Amino acid sequence: EKAKKMDFSSVKRAIESLQRRKPSVSTTVLSYLPPLLHYHNDEHEVTSEEYKKVLLQLLKVNDNRWESLAVGLYLGECHLEEMTNDIWDNSNAKKNKIVYVDGPRVPSIVDEEEKASSPAIAKKKSASPEESTAQ
């Protein structure tokens, strides 16, 4: 039977995709999925802290399958976005703030204007591939 594609269009669909994999993922992986679904179904049976613990366990599974890692990374990214949005919503931060990472430094929140006026950003923009090939 042809394997069905993984669906990363939403958190719920990603988790459900993992449940229906053929051949099936390990029972360990399957045991982590109900709390993750409960959290995203807003059933208040799982706290954010419990969710993070289960998500970390999902990421640590070493069963030589890529699916659980892919879903775990996707869920982690979505959770971080939710947490970041909650922080911004609970503060007086401008809506045009973004998480900006350039190189190995620690991520920081900067204004779009700051990003645009940064000398490092301007330098990168001026060294575009078109200019380097024209020289």
Side-chain angles (χ1 to χ4, degrees), residues 41-83:
N41 287 334
D42 203 26
E43 296 175 11
H44 303 291
E45 295 175 21
V46 179
T47 65
S48 180
E49 288 302 314
E50 292 169 327
Y51 177 81
K52 288 185 262 187
K53 287 179 185 176
V54 173
L55 181 56
L56 185 59
Q57 292 303 315
L58 179 64
L59 288 168
K60 287 182 176 181
V61 171
N62 186 9
D63 61 359
N64 296 322
R65 298 279 301 263
W66 63 270
E67 297 95 335
S68 58
L69 179 61
V71 170
L73 290 172
Y74 177 71
L75 296 180
E77 178 186 11
C78 292
H79 191 66
L80 287 172
E81 284 178 8
E82 288 173 17
M83 290 174 32

Side-chain angles (χ1 to χ4, degrees), residues 91-106:
S91 72
N92 292 326
K94 294 179 185 176
K95 291 293 180 188
N96 67 343
K97 296 233 176 193
I98 59 169
V99 176
Y100 176 68
V101 181
D102 182 24
R105 296 184 300 251
V106 177

Side-chain angles (χ1 to χ4, degrees), residues 3-6 8 13-34 36-37 57-59 61-72:
K4 295 186 179 189
K5 293 181 180 180
M6 296 291 291
F8 291 96
R13 287 188 179 265
I15 295 169
E16 291 169 348
S17 290
L18 199 51
Q19 290 175 319
R20 67 174 181 262
R21 294 303 291 168
K22 299 287 183 209
S24 182
V25 293
S26 70
T27 54
T28 304
V29 169
L30 292 174
S31 71
Y32 296 136
L33 303 183
L36 298 174
L37 272 173
Q57 292 303 315
L58 179 64
L59 288 168
V61 171
N62 186 9
D63 61 359
N64 296 322
R65 298 279 301 263
W66 63 270
E67 297 95 335
S68 58
L69 179 61
V71 170

